[in-house]
Structures are given as structure tokens and as C-alpha cells.
């Protein structure tokens, strides 16, 4: 984690979330933003909602500087344990 190709800079990361059971795109509901916050070599995202006991699959596409191809994160399966509070 946090490793980029030589001379590459992380410019941005687009996140997506899907309902693992149905395959429905839940990005607008589950994630606070489809754009991750970039901190050095990390792309950080925030969960804003989700149904308790439901499984969501989250992953991202990181855009790099120069002629580097985008990087794709490994899928993260997330289970909401209790209702989220703001």
C-alpha cells in the first residue's frame, strides 16, 4: 500500500461502490464522494451510508502523472455493522 511506480505522482482517484449481492452501483448512496482525497501516496475515502448487515464492494481507479497507466485498487468488501451517524 502506498507504493507508486518510480517518478509517478498520484493525481486523483475515482472510487466506486457496488451492492455485492445485486451488482447495483451504490456509489452515490454509500460514499461521501466518488473522488478520494489524496494525501501523498494514499487515496482516502469516506463511507456516508449503508444498510446494516449489507455487503458492499468498493474499489478505485488511481490516475497517475505522466504517461503512467491508471492503477486499480483491490476490491474491498465492507459490511455495515450499525446505522451510520453524521
Amino acid at each position: 500500500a502506498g507504493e507508486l511506480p518510480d517518478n509517478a505522482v498520484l493525481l486523483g482517484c475515482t472510487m466506486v461502490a457496488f451492492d455485492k449481492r445485486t451488482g447495483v452501483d451504490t456509489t452515490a448512496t454509500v460514499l461521501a464522494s466518488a473522488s478520494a482525497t489524496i494525501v501523498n501516496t494514499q487515496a482516502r475515502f469516506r463511507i456516508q451510508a449503508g444498510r446494516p448487515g449489507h455487503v458492499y464492494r468498493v474499489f478505485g481507479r488511481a490516475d497517475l502523472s505522466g504517461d503512467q497507466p491508471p492503477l486499480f485498487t483491490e476490491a474491498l468488501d465492507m459490511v455495515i455493522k450499525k446505522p451510520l451517524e453524521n
Side-chain angles (χ1 to χ4, degrees), residues 2-5 8-16 34-38 40-44 59-66 68-74:
E3 295 181 21
L4 298 175
V9 174
L10 181 57
L11 300 176
C13 186
T14 303
M15 304 300 298
V16 293
S35 297
T37 301
I38 305 304
N40 297 316
T41 61
Q42 297 179 351
R44 299 178 182 178
F59 61 95
R61 176 189 154 189
D63 295 313
L64 306 177
S65 61
Q68 298 285 339
L71 296 176
F72 294 90
T73 64
E74 291 185 31

Side-chain angles (χ1 to χ4, degrees), residues 28-71:
T29 304
V30 172
L31 302 180
S33 174
S35 297
T37 301
I38 305 304
V39 179
N40 297 316
T41 61
Q42 297 179 351
R44 299 178 182 178
F45 64 97
R46 188 172 71 84
I47 305 303
Q48 72 175 358
R51 291 191 342 220
H54 219 64
V55 180
Y56 299 94
R57 178 160 281 179
V58 180
F59 61 95
R61 176 189 154 189
D63 295 313
L64 306 177
S65 61
D67 59 355
Q68 298 285 339
L71 296 176

